[in-house]
C-alpha cells in the first residue's frame, strides 16, 4: 500500500495548499478567511481518499450524484461531516437528500422544492438551500435565469417550506473564459443575492457558493462564502461524473 499512502499524503498536502491560497486571497481583499467555507468535492474519488482528507481536518464535502455519494456517505458514517449536494438533482432523487445531505446547492424548480420538503418533513430533517442561478444564460447549464429569480423566490416563500431554509445562491462560471468574464459572472451573483436579501427581508440569505479549482481565487475576490474545490485537492477524477 506504499503507493496509496503516498497518494493520500499528496492529497493532504493539496488540501493544505488550497487552504493557504484561500487565506492569502481573503487577506488580499481584507476579508476574513473564516467567512469562506471550503467544500472538498469528492465526486469520482473513493472513500479512502475522503478519509485522508477527513484525517487532515476537513469537515465539508461535496458530491454531485446520489449513486456515487450514498455508498460513501453510509460507509464513512461520520456525523461530524456536512455533505453538500452540488449537482443537478432530478425530482425522483429528492428522497435521498434528507438525512444524508445538510446542504443542497442546486435548487432550480418549485416541483423539486415541494418534493424535498415532503421528504425532509418525513425525516424531521432540515436542508439548507441554495438556488442555482444560470447567470450567463448558458443553454448547457441548469439553474434559474437571473431575471426569473425574484419571482421564483416569491413563489418559494408562498409555499412556506420551513424545513428548507433559503440560505443563498450558487453558480458555475463560464469554463476557461477570460478572467474579466469570470469575475463579472461572480459579481452578478453577489448583486442578485444582495437584491433578493433586501427585497424579501431574508436575513439568513447570505451565502454565495461560487468558485471551483480553476477560479476560486477570483470568486473569493467577488465575495464567495463557499468554494467547491475538487481537482485541486483530490487530483484528476478516477471516473467522470457529469455536472
Ligand atoms: C465537480 C464540481 C466542482 C469541482 O470541480 P473542480 O474543477 O474539480 O474543482 C464544483 N462544483 C460543481 C457543481 C461540480 O460539479
Amino acid at each position: 500500500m506504499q503507493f496509496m499512502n503516498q497518494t493520500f499524503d499528496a492529497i493532504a498536502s493539496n488540501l493544505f495548499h488550497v487552504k493557504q491560497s484561500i487565506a492569502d486571497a481573503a487577506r488580499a481583499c481584507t476579508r476574513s478567511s473564516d467567512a469562506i467555507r471550503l467544500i472538498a468535492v469528492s465526486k469520482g474519488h473513493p472513500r479512502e481518499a475522503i478519509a485522508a482528507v477527513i484525517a487532515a481536518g476537513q469537515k465539508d464535502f461535496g458530491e454531485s450524484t446520489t449513486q456515487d455519494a450514498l455508498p460513501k456517505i453510509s460507509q464513512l458514517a461520520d456525523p461530524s461531516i456536512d455533505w453538500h449536494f452540488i449537482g443537478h438533482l432530478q425530482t425522483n432523487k429528492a428522497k435521498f437528500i434528507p438525512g444524508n445531505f445538510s446542504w443542497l446547492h442546486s435548487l432550480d424548480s418549485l416541483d423539486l422544492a415541494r418534493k424535498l420538503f415532503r421528504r425532509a418533513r418525513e425525516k424531521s430533517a432540515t436542508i439548507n438551500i441554495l438556488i442555482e442561478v444560470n447567470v450567463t444564460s448558458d443553454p448547457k447549464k441548469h439553474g434559474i435565469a437571473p431575471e426569473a429569480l425574484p419571482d421564483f423566490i416569491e413563489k418559494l416563500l408562498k409555499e412556506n417550506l420551513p424545513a428548507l431554509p433559503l440560505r443563498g445562491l450558487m453558480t458555475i462560471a463560464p469554463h476557461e473564459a477570460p478572467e474579466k468574464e469570470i469575475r463579472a459572472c461572480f459579481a452578478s451573483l453577489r448583486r442578485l443575492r444582495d437584491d433578493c436579501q433586501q427585497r424579501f427581508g431574508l436575513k439568513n440569505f447570505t451565502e454565495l457558493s461560487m468558485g471551483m479549482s480553476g477560479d476560486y481565487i477570483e470568486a473569493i475576490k467577488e465575495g464567495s462564502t463557499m468554494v467547491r474545490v475538487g481537482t485541486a485537492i483530490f487530483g484528476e477524477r478516477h471516473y467522470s461524473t457529469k455536472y
Side-chain angles (χ1 to χ4, degrees):
M1 297 299 276
Q2 181 68 22
F3 168 74
M4 290 288 263
N5 284 336
Q6 279 179 14
T7 306
F8 295 154
D9 285 350
I11 291 175
S13 142
N14 292 344
L15 176 71
F16 175 81
H17 287 294
V18 168
K19 282 190 186 166
Q20 200 74 43
S21 329
I22 291 172
D24 290 345
R27 198 173 317 111
C29 53
T30 64
R31 298 185 57 201
S32 160
S33 54
D34 293 343
I36 301 151
R37 194 194 297 228
L38 169 61
I39 298 163
V41 176
S42 49
K43 69 178 183 204
H45 293 282
R47 161 171 58 99
E48 292 80 1
I50 302 175
V53 178
I54 294 173
Q58 177 65 20
K59 294 286 184 202
D60 288 276
F61 289 86
E63 288 279 343
S64 61
T65 65
T66 52
Q67 67 270 30
D68 185 15
L70 296 179
K72 295 189 276 187
I73 294 175
S74 70
Q75 285 160 3
L76 286 160
D78 185 339
S80 71
I81 301 300
D82 273 324
W83 291 96
H84 299 247
F85 194 90
I86 62 173
H88 176 65
L89 184 65
Q90 291 167 289
T91 52
N92 63 344
K93 303 279 175 66
K95 57 178 179 278
F96 298 123
I97 301 301
N100 286 309
F101 292 89
S102 46
W103 290 80
L104 178 86
H105 290 232
S106 50
L107 185 73
D108 61 358
S109 78
L110 271 182
D111 190 29
L112 178 60
R114 291 184 189 119
K115 291 201 165 76
L116 271 172
F117 176 67
R118 226 181 43 231
R119 299 297 186 162
R121 219 175 29 180
E122 282 166 13
K123 295 203 167 161
S124 304
T126 296
I127 305 153
N128 292 290
I129 298 292
L130 305 176
I131 300 165
E132 181 168 357
V133 182
N134 189 350
V135 172
T136 54
S137 302
D138 179 343
K140 292 193 293 292
K141 283 196 182 123
H142 294 284
I144 303 287
E147 59 279 10
L149 185 62
D151 185 52
F152 182 63
I153 293 180
E154 196 173 316
K155 289 191 170 121
L156 277 173
L157 293 172
K158 274 206 190 107
E159 295 273 324
N160 186 27
L161 311 171
L164 307 181
L166 290 181
R167 300 299 309 277
L169 302 176
M170 179 275 228
T171 202
I172 300 172
H175 190 54
E176 285 175 358
E179 182 180 336
K180 221 173 94 192
E181 237 173 82
I182 292 171
R183 293 268 307 244
C185 168
F186 293 147
S188 299
L189 196 73
R190 187 189 60 223
R191 282 191 296 271
L192 284 168
R193 179 207 53 189
D194 294 346
D195 290 350
C196 293
Q197 197 180 46
Q198 230 192 12
R199 180 160 172 174
F200 298 103
L202 297 168
K203 73 173 186 308
N204 296 320
F205 197 79
T206 51
E207 305 290 340
L208 285 175
S209 169
M210 53 191 203
M212 310 181 14
S213 291
D215 56 20
Y216 69 91
I217 301 294
E218 288 77 14
I220 289 168
K221 290 180 189 164
E222 295 297 344
S224 174
T225 65
M226 293 179 153
V227 291
R228 311 176 307 267
V229 180
T231 313
I233 296 172
F234 290 98
E236 292 300 323
R237 284 180 270 282
H238 295 184
Y239 49 92
S240 67
T241 31
K242 56 183 164 57
Y243 277 36

